[in-house]
Amino acid sequence: MPPSIEFYCPCLASTPHPPPPHLASSSYSFHPLHNLFFCEECDAIRCNRCVMVEVSGYYCPNCLFEVPSASVRAEKNRCARNCFMCPNCRNTLTVVPSDPPDTGAAIVNTVGEPPFFLYCNHCRWDSAEVGITFEKPTGLAAQLQKYEDSAPESLEFERLKEHYEPHLRASPSTGPAAPHSHHTHTNPITAAASSALARDIPGVGKYTPHSSSVGRNRSSRNKGNYNEVPDYRARVEIGSSNFTMGGGGETDVDLMKHLEDMSEIATLEQRWENSWMTSLQTGDLKPLRIPLHSKKSKRCPSCRHILIKPEQKAQSVRYKIKLVAANYLPAITVSLPHLYAVLAAMRKPGKTPQLSDIESTMHAGKTYSFQLSFTNPLYDPIQVRLHVQRSLPSSSMAEDGGGPSEKRRPPFSVTLPSSAFPIAAYAEAWEYEDDEEMFGVEEDDFDGGGGGRGGGREQGRGRTKTIGILERRANVTVIGGEVAISKEARGNIKFNMLVSYTYRSDDSEPSEEQSTPSRAQVQNREPEMKTFSFYTAIDLGTIIPREEHKSDAMEY
Amino acid sequence: MSVPPSTPRRHATYDTTTPIATPQASRAHSSSHIVQASPHYTTTRRHSLYGTEDRIILDPGSHIWKVGFSGEGKPREVSYADKDTGSPLWTLNRAPDLIDREEEDRLLEARLQTSLRAVFHDSLLTDPKSRKIIILETPLLPLHIKDMFARILFNNLQVPSISFASSHLLALLAAGRVTGLVLDCGHLESTALPIYSSRPLFPHLRTTPLAGSRLSSHLKALLLLFGTYHPPIQSLSAPATQYAPASARATRVPEELLTDTLVEELKTRCCFVGETIDLDVRIASAAAFEEPGTPSSERAMSESGFSGTSGDEGSVDSTSQQTPTSSGFSATAPSQAPSSIGRSPASEGHLQSLANLYTRSSTATDLRIRVEPPPSQQTGTGRGTLLVPGWIRERAAEVLFEGGDVDESSVAEVILDSLLKVPVDLRKSFASGIVIVGGTAMLPGFIPRLHAELVRAISPSLMQGATTPTGKPRRPRPSTHDRYAALRPLIPYFAILNNPAPPSPTTSRASANAGKSPAFTPATMAWIGGSLAGVLKIGGTEVAREKWDAADAQAEPDEDDPMDPLIQTPKPTGWSILPDWTRSPLPNGAPSAKAGPITQPVLNVVVSSPPQATAVGA
């Protein structure tokens, strides 16, 4: 795994300090920068786990039809037009006409011959197999609607509802009058239970002589409303003989017993939404309506300001409001110079670099340098100060947990420049004078750390300077750091780093509000400086424990 | 609706890193301006898509979640609890160490949050702030998980209210009854709970860990021992040995091949439950095949060539003939397996004898399944072939019906134990009103088999084999034998409401009940009951967000002072306000004056609980 950096969103924690990065649960608190939002009002980072999401529009991902919200419910979040999915491969189905009759091609119908059916271009499934054909090639969902309305589960459900409803309506009057909670009133089962309590409970009461026949006793004696619930007569009983397939009974067992090919049986995912007993077989699956997607706007959980608001049209991928953290926080990328050297060396013989080779580059007991490159998105220069969070909280936790003694000492120590360093302001590309340092080149620049790309400004690196500012160009500053791995270290080199940056606040006068680093160009140059801090977690990779690499250790 | 629409307000949980001092009202105001920029947007905002009384019904299992809206006949979406990995969210175990457990809880909470947010934002596409939610809980849902649900829903998603409803009760409602005994055979455990006139008799519930998860691990163990794996052929130009006797390429099943996903797929697509094996055969065959080292895995393999049914009698002979011819991996094979699957050799011997027994009695076809080779063996071309013997498909679920263990009684024994606990007068009602729900009950043949097992477990024939007529136990486990003598008169009354193939009933009572429930699938019955309860507005006690926030604010000052790491109660917030049957209705210090003398702990779920009363009073 290449070295990575993720940004901390404090939404999950009660303290502003991030959890120790080595815990598995911590990964949910750190996010890549491009997933984060920034609330200007709260001056805080927000992430997808804490923002409030609202649906601002529904659309079908297939036909891009914007479904009015009124019909979303009736259609159960599915496309109500012609969009269907193949039940086998989830590909989009197309409507195809039947073969034209052989009588002669004199009249060519533009839409095709009437029995239309759905056809999967991927797996060749077609809906005629399950007996679904259409007279018209449009409005297929409406044509199918009548089947869905008469689906056995909804009919049975309505019947169940009607079965219980009279008892529920009757019960509040007979229920105990004491509690005025509306729940008690609307909860007839509660009422039934309470009234039942007033009597003796069968089997508990000592003097009730109805040991033999509870049933008779029920009907004859009690007028408590719970007893008035008669047994429900199902519309379709599961044990009835007309249930031949899919009931989990003998026919299914026989089918399974003589199964020759697993693909005859539908997968769990294809069946599990059926609440009605249906066939197990793949051949009986019905086409699926395509589920709708939604356009979501996102709000800050704290101040409810909108962070993300997409354009309404389904075809558009733009946003009306887009407050993403990448516009406010300096982007940081991590690289390991020696890793690029390894990569370059591996590229030369022409063999493909194995992932394991890349990982196995950090040996215990050695010191490695790494580089952090900061890119300033703001129109103002910023001053950045780095601070590595001590891994003390983590190690203290480890020893509480009875961890072995090696955990007591931090397995590695990180050295970073402690003084603030500047990053120049972001400017549009054409404002830079030296063309050769355009964007796009900068990423490739890192392997120059090992290879030595030459050039005047790189001579600092020639002197094996590894800590401090390595490079400044445009709005990018590259910082070098070092990690010293202790001899018995193992696990991942993962540490939290606090990044504080100071920027010039542009709107100091509007209110007492905390201002935010805005991209808006500053008009009045009052040098009011603001500082914003955020945590990051840097993962440099896995340490190769020392025992496994005795030979490597011999070298020095 | 009695609850006024809640105005947007800042929530106490969200700590902003920098203090802000803008009044809330103006913020809400300004945001509404933004909202009105788009006319369409305002319409969607004003008219809620669903009525406020439409509840969201969430059936959150440890493995599979079902979500949908009340009043609908099927869930909108069913998915794995953790969509990314498909692994269960929680297990029956918790880390014994406090630090580890805290970490485990944090991890669980984060995963739960992901799943819950996905429910609203990806599955239902609805705004959580306007949706009341009914959560189906099994009686043994751990309280810390229940608290976690409430915490995430209230704090992160800001739902207006939550109610918890017993999944067993709701499943019974979906079956059209208010009295009955519900067995929920889910992923982690099977729980039997008698319910009388819609009141769950929680003290009589019985549970066993024999459920879907155990079935999966058992299936995996069987496949490791007796399955066969054919790696993909090395090159396409080689002669097609694919259907040759396969001794050349057939290997034991590599463990990394049997991923959880594959085992799950095999379980749901290949397995079924065969009929009871006759006891005499069982004993006789167990004696006959007791000697260890019988290479039954090999036999299964050799039979695999014929795709038809393997002969019942002939298989023994064919095995003895083929034993010398087939090579290498057979006799030594079983010894490798236990270490890899963490089973003791004793249980392996047990598996071996079971295999001998089942192979003879099973007529199910063997299945060849194309599988991706494990990552370590990506050498050949294309896919490998996993051969699943037919008897494994048929008899893997036997593990659920093998009782005898004190802690892990079979699913039938769970029902019987629960019946033993209920008052004598009610037993007949419960025995003829059994409802089987849960995903594991979806195995074809499960419910008819369970009925047979119920009868078998208490029928006198078994007793003769196990005990002397005087009832004096012959074997060292006396308690397990003839435990159910008291239930023997109930045999003609046993009726499983959702039995797809009810045996011909002997009593009118059984015939009035067996197989009479609607043909809902066992897996979704609890959800349908929830949908029903939601539309009938009987979804249990609601906990409103105002109550939660108030309790949260109360608990806030306390949260700092327990510096003692040992007293770190997981989360003190909300403990008092979530109703649960295991909690006393009068929690310490809860301001509940109206609990009333009639409220008993047993009824706490259905009877309105004290916090509700105070909500009205306040």
Side-chain angles (χ1 to χ4, degrees):
Chain A
M1 201 177 72
S4 67
I5 183 165
E6 295 196 318
F7 291 64
Y8 176 63
C9 174
C11 61
L12 288 174
S14 50
T15 64
H17 300 292
H22 62 84
L23 294 179
S25 61
S26 303
S27 65
Y28 291 94
S29 304
F30 292 96
H31 313 271
L33 179 62
H34 59 261
N35 284 350
L36 290 175
F37 313 106
F38 194 89
C39 179
E40 290 197 340
E41 302 297 319
C42 307
D43 203 16
I45 297 174
R46 301 289 178 221
C47 70
N48 267 321
R49 298 180 65 82
C50 63
V51 292
M52 290 161 43
V53 180
E54 289 168 1
V55 176
S56 64
Y58 301 88
Y59 65 97
C60 169
N62 187 41
C63 59
L64 290 182
F65 178 72
E66 283 166 50
V67 183
S69 46
S71 64
V72 166
R73 181 191 186 187
E75 304 297 341
K76 294 190 166 57
N77 288 358
R78 308 265 162 176
C79 181
R81 304 171 88 209
N82 285 348
C83 304
F84 288 90
M85 277 192 308
C86 173
N88 291 323
C89 61
R90 307 269 157 146
N91 191 19
T92 308
L93 297 173
T94 47
V95 191
V96 293
S98 304
D99 291 334
D102 288 335
T103 52
I107 305 156
V108 178
N109 197 343
T110 49
V111 290
E113 287 300 317
F116 295 94
F117 51 91
L118 294 163
Y119 177 74
C120 176
N121 287 315
H122 181 71
C123 70
R124 298 184 167 197
W125 179 89
D126 73 72
S127 68
E129 290 174 17
V130 291
I132 295 180
T133 54
F134 305 92
E135 289 109 35
K136 308 193 299 286
T138 53
L140 302 187
Q143 296 181 55
L144 274 183
Q145 189 68 44
K146 54 181 181 289
Y147 298 110
E148 290 179 13
D149 287 342
S150 62
E153 71 264 12
S154 44
L155 292 179
E156 192 78 53
F157 186 85
E158 291 303 316
R159 193 180 157 96
L160 267 174
K161 210 166 86 183
E162 285 162 19
H163 170 71
Y164 285 112
E165 235 160 16
H167 310 289
L168 302 183
R169 235 182 287 116
S171 53
S173 55
T174 59
H180 291 287
S181 151
H182 69 282
H183 293 291
T184 319
H185 272 295
T186 55
N187 191 342
I189 291 185
T190 305
S194 315
S195 72
L197 273 172
R199 320 172 293 109
D200 40 30
I201 299 170
V204 177
K206 278 178 192 151
Y207 304 112
T208 43
H210 46 60
S211 61
S212 63
S213 59
V214 179
R216 212 173 343 119
N217 169 44
R218 264 197 197 174
S219 53
S220 62
R221 182 162 155 261
N222 293 302
K223 294 287 169 277
N225 47 18
Y226 83 97
N227 276 338
E228 289 166 13
V229 181
D231 281 352
Y232 171 71
R233 304 280 308 174
R235 217 183 121 263
V236 179
E237 289 168 353
I238 194 169
S240 59
S241 55
N242 59 357
F243 234 95
T244 49
M245 286 307 283
E250 278 171 32
T251 44
D252 278 350
V253 171
D254 276 350
L255 168 73
M256 295 297 276
K257 190 176 274 189
H258 303 297
L259 190 67
E260 298 286 342
D261 185 2
M262 190 171 75
S263 61
E264 287 174 30
I265 302 295
T267 61
L268 180 65
E269 286 86 348
Q270 288 167 335
R271 285 182 284 145
W272 61 10
E273 275 177 38
N274 294 332
S275 64
W276 196 251
M277 285 292 193
T278 44
S279 165
L280 297 173
Q281 283 169 289
T282 312
D284 294 334
L285 292 173
K286 301 278 189 292
L288 307 164
R289 292 197 198 183
I290 288 186
L292 298 181
H293 284 200
S294 65
K295 290 217 163 194
K296 303 182 179 85
S297 31
K298 299 182 177 175
R299 288 171 185 267
C300 171
S302 170
C303 68
R304 313 236 163 196
H305 267 73
I306 290 187
L307 303 176
I308 289 289
K309 185 161 155 51
E311 281 190 1
Q312 195 61 45
K313 288 170 74 72
Q315 289 91 342
S316 168
V317 292
R318 287 203 294 264
Y319 295 92
K320 285 179 177 165
I321 300 173
K322 186 176 73 171
L323 301 176
V324 295
N327 288 342
Y328 297 89
L329 308 181
I332 308 172
T333 51
V334 194
S335 61
L336 290 165
H338 73 274
L339 196 140
Y340 285 94
V342 169
L343 270 182
M346 282 193 312
R347 258 185 228 125
K348 272 173 199 157
K351 70 172 181 179
T352 55
Q354 297 282 326
L355 203 64
S356 55
D357 290 345
I358 298 174
E359 277 178 357
S360 63
T361 50
M362 308 280 276
H363 294 292
K366 286 193 180 182
T367 299
Y368 294 91
S369 64
F370 62 93
Q371 295 177 352
L372 300 172
S373 105
F374 291 77
T375 309
N376 182 9
L378 304 178
Y379 285 114
D380 290 315
I382 57 174
Q383 292 278 330
V384 180
R385 191 183 288 271
L386 304 178
H387 177 76
V388 174
Q389 193 190 30
R390 300 255 171 218
S391 50
L392 277 181
S394 67
S395 55
S396 70
M397 282 185 76
E399 58 187 34
D400 279 352
S405 59
E406 71 207 55
K407 290 228 169 180
R408 232 158 259 193
R409 273 177 48 201
F412 55 87
S413 65
V414 176
T415 316
L416 276 171
S418 55
S419 60
F421 55 90
I423 311 178
Y426 170 79
E428 302 299 339
W430 54 83
E431 293 180 26
Y432 293 114
E433 287 130 23
D434 40 354
D435 294 342
E436 79 276 10
E437 294 295 345
M438 280 297 214
F439 300 101
V441 188
E442 61 192 29
E443 295 302 320
D444 301 23
D445 232 357
F446 293 129
D447 56 4
R453 272 169 56 97
R457 69 181 71 199
E458 306 222 341
Q459 53 191 233
R461 248 184 280 163
R463 302 194 304 263
T464 67
K465 178 186 174 188
T466 51
I467 301 180
I469 302 176
L470 300 183
E471 185 181 359
R472 286 190 61 194
R473 96 189 110 79
N475 61 338
V476 179
T477 298
V478 179
I479 297 297
E482 256 183 8
V483 55
I485 308 171
S486 69
K487 297 208 156 133
E488 64 273 17
R490 56 187 66 238
N492 269 22
I493 304 181
K494 239 181 161 180
F495 57 92
N496 288 345
M497 182 176 74
L498 178 70
V499 181
S500 314
Y501 66 99
T502 310
Y503 59 96
R504 197 204 321 263
S505 163
D506 45 342
D507 47 358
S508 54
E509 75 279 1
S511 67
E512 71 283 355
E513 264 185 63
Q514 187 80 21
S515 73
T516 52
S518 161
R519 290 182 80 157
Q521 192 59 268
V522 184
Q523 308 295 337
N524 45 352
R525 302 261 172 192
E526 276 142 47
E528 177 167 357
M529 307 306 277
K530 300 259 180 194
T531 300
F532 185 81
S533 303
F534 59 92
Y535 273 101
T536 58
I538 297 181
D539 185 0
L540 289 179
T542 315
I543 305 171
I544 305 301
R546 201 177 171 81
E547 299 86 56
E548 298 176 18
H549 287 265
K550 280 278 159 54
S551 57
D552 286 356
M554 296 292 202
E555 289 174 6
Y556 64 115
Chain B
M1 245 190 79
S2 67
V3 184
S6 57
T7 52
R9 61 208 185 87
R10 182 139 59 106
H11 203 271
T13 340
Y14 293 100
D15 282 339
T16 54
T17 50
T18 51
I20 57 162
T22 314
Q24 285 305 312
S26 71
R27 287 180 180 276
H29 189 65
S30 61
S31 66
S32 69
H33 275 306
I34 301 171
V35 161
Q36 280 168 2
S38 153
H40 183 83
Y41 192 66
T42 53
T43 55
T44 58
R45 286 284 293 153
R46 274 188 200 142
H47 303 290
S48 183
L49 218 51
Y50 304 89
T52 45
E53 284 307 314
D54 275 324
R55 312 294 171 94
I56 284 172
I57 313 293
L58 170 62
D59 182 1
S62 62
H63 194 39
I64 289 176
W65 284 21
K66 306 173 194 75
V67 292
F69 288 101
S70 66
E72 294 181 359
K74 58 193 272 191
R76 284 281 179 92
E77 182 159 313
V78 181
S79 62
Y80 287 113
D82 189 332
K83 283 183 190 172
D84 299 333
T85 61
S87 58
L89 281 183
W90 62 85
T91 62
L92 291 177
N93 301 318
R94 291 184 83 186
D97 184 55
L98 201 67
I99 305 288
D100 292 347
R101 189 184 303 173
E102 275 177 15
E103 165 67 8
E104 203 174 77
D105 287 352
R106 274 194 299 270
L107 201 58
L108 171 61
E109 183 151 359
R111 293 172 74 193
L112 260 188
Q113 193 188 354
T114 312
S115 301
L116 280 171
R117 287 181 75 91
V119 162
F120 286 95
H121 300 146
D122 300 336
S123 308
L124 301 179
L125 305 181
T126 186
D127 184 6
K129 286 195 298 300
S130 54
R131 295 268 72 87
K132 297 184 171 185
I133 182 165
I134 296 178
I135 296 183
L136 274 57
E137 55 162 359
T138 65
L140 298 176
L141 179 72
L143 286 179
H144 73 278
I145 295 176
K146 190 170 169 178
D147 285 340
M148 230 176 254
F149 269 110
R151 199 157 57 238
I152 294 167
L153 286 170
F154 280 131
N155 293 352
N156 188 283
L157 288 162
Q158 313 207 345
V159 298
S161 89
I162 302 178
S163 33
F164 289 95
S166 163
S167 62
H168 285 74
L169 172 59
L170 296 178
L172 190 64
L173 288 182
R177 295 289 193 276
V178 292
T179 297
L181 195 153
V182 183
L183 174 81
D184 182 354
C185 194
H187 183 70
L188 287 183
E189 49 187 352
S190 303
T191 308
L193 176 67
I195 297 169
Y196 195 82
S197 69
S198 78
R199 282 177 296 160
L201 307 181
F202 287 117
H204 302 325
L205 80 83
R206 277 287 172 267
T207 184
T208 175
L210 298 182
S213 161
R214 179 65 61 89
L215 174 57
S216 293
S217 58
H218 183 67
L219 179 63
K220 186 172 177 178
L222 287 178
L223 285 174
L224 284 176
L225 269 177
F226 306 111
T228 314
Y229 174 63
H230 300 237
I233 49 176
Q234 293 297 320
S235 68
L236 293 174
S237 57
T241 54
Q242 198 159 346
Y243 295 102
S247 53
R249 289 187 301 113
T251 60
R252 294 182 55 76
V253 181
E255 196 184 358
E256 61 264 32
L257 179 79
L258 294 178
T259 57
D260 289 347
T261 318
L262 180 64
V263 173
E264 183 79 11
E265 185 172 10
L266 293 176
K267 183 173 83 172
T268 52
R269 290 179 82 180
C270 300
C271 286
F272 65 104
V273 186
E275 287 166 10
T276 318
I277 301 174
D278 196 18
L279 186 75
D280 301 334
V281 178
R282 185 180 287 223
I283 291 170
S285 59
F289 287 92
E290 204 61 70
E291 76 272 30
T294 308
S296 75
S297 62
E298 179 180 74
R299 178 194 318 152
M301 185 206 70
S302 65
E303 282 174 7
S304 69
F306 333 110
S307 58
T309 60
S310 56
D312 282 357
E313 321 302 330
S315 64
V316 183
D317 297 334
S318 68
T319 306
S320 54
Q321 285 166 7
Q322 292 190 6
T323 306
T325 64
S326 58
S327 60
F329 67 92
S330 58
T332 57
S335 61
Q336 304 164 358
S339 61
S340 59
I341 57 173
R343 281 182 171 266
S344 64
S347 76
E348 184 206 340
H350 173 66
L351 286 182
Q352 191 73 50
S353 60
L354 280 184
N356 297 331
L357 163 66
Y358 295 147
T359 316
R360 287 206 320 153
S361 63
S362 171
T363 57
T365 51
D366 300 338
L367 273 191
R368 297 172 167 276
I369 291 150
R370 315 286 290 166
V371 287
E372 284 292 339
S376 60
Q377 297 183 13
Q378 294 277 16
T379 53
T381 56
R383 296 181 156 197
T385 304
L386 175 68
L387 199 137
V388 181
W391 67 266
I392 290 186
R393 298 201 295 123
E394 183 172 353
R395 296 297 166 188
E398 292 298 317
V399 69
L400 303 177
F401 299 104
E402 280 167 8
D405 194 308
V406 181
D407 295 321
E408 302 185 352
S409 37
S410 75
V411 284
E413 284 170 348
V414 165
I415 292 179
L416 297 175
D417 288 343
S418 181
L419 273 181
L420 274 182
K421 290 204 81 188
V422 299
V424 178
D425 306 330
L426 302 184
R427 281 181 189 163
K428 210 177 281 176
S429 306
F430 291 136
S432 53
I434 300 173
V435 179
I436 311 294
V437 299
T440 306
M442 296 287 284
L443 282 174
F446 182 91
I447 293 176
R449 172 66 189 276
L450 183 57
H451 187 109
E453 286 290 323
L454 282 176
V455 174
R456 197 177 68 83
I458 58 176
S459 60
S461 65
L462 178 68
M463 295 309 129
Q464 285 168 5
T467 60
T468 56
T470 58
K472 192 188 281 182
R474 246 179 16 187
R475 296 211 184 158
R477 286 178 313 190
S479 66
T480 60
H481 294 297
D482 214 11
R483 261 190 308 174
Y484 307 118
L487 298 177
R488 209 163 294 151
L490 289 177
I491 288 181
Y493 293 98
F494 272 114
I496 296 180
L497 276 171
N498 56 346
N499 191 345
S504 55
T506 48
T507 60
S508 65
R509 189 159 186 152
S511 68
N513 285 312
K516 294 299 183 194
S517 91
F520 292 124
T521 59
T524 53
M525 256 172 129
W527 189 91
I528 288 168
S531 173
L532 199 60
V535 79
L536 297 173
K537 302 182 178 58
I538 51 173
T541 313
E542 268 185 59
V543 179
R545 190 163 91 229
E546 290 77 17
K547 287 290 299 173
W548 175 270
D549 289 348
D552 225 15
Q554 264 183 2
E556 203 77 355
D558 300 349
E559 213 158 76
D560 291 333
D561 58 49
M563 279 294 114
D564 189 355
L566 288 178
I567 311 194
Q568 287 236 351
T569 43
K571 287 286 174 184
T573 60
W575 256 85
S576 55
I577 71 163
L578 285 188
D580 192 87
W581 66 274
T582 56
R583 287 176 186 149
S584 140
L586 293 170
N588 304 339
S592 60
K594 292 198 178 175
I598 60 164
T599 314
Q600 295 177 1
V602 179
L603 309 169
N604 196 15
V605 167
V606 284
V607 175
S608 76
S609 70
Q612 202 52 57
T614 53
V616 174

